[in-house]
């Protein structure tokens, strides 16, 4: 039995971005531990941006 194809057309932006990121990580064969560590850095950076929205963005 085949699984139904689900269109991302009506998916939320969060789902679309998650699918894109998963595809990118899998395509480049990124180690899951490396990906999780990188995502934690990205999460911290985005949280800093939310805390200081008027500050210019400078990656640390």
């Amino acid at each position: 039995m085949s699984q139904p194809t689900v269109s991302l057309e009506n998916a939320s932006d969060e789902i679309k971005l998650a699918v894109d990121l998963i595809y990118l990580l899998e395509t480049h064969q990124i180690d899951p531990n490396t990906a999780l560590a990188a995502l934690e850095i990205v999460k911290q950076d985005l949280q800093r941006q939310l805390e200081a929205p008027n500050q210019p963005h400078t990656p640390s």
Side-chain angles (χ1 to χ4, degrees):
M1 176 185 237
S2 66
Q3 294 181 345
T5 303
V6 178
S7 171
L8 289 175
E9 202 172 287
N10 297 321
S12 67
D13 289 343
E14 293 87 356
I15 297 295
K16 291 176 185 176
L17 179 56
V19 169
D20 287 345
L21 291 171
I22 291 167
Y23 176 77
L24 180 66
L25 294 170
E26 289 179 352
T27 300
H28 292 281
Q29 299 178 344
I30 305 298
D31 175 73
N33 290 315
T34 301
L36 287 172
L39 289 170
E40 185 58 37
I41 294 167
V42 171
K43 179 180 176 182
Q44 291 171 5
D45 184 63
L46 292 171
Q47 286 175 329
R48 273 194 292 274
Q49 289 180 41
L50 290 174
E51 292 168 4
N54 296 325
Q55 298 295 320
H57 174 65
T58 53
S60 50

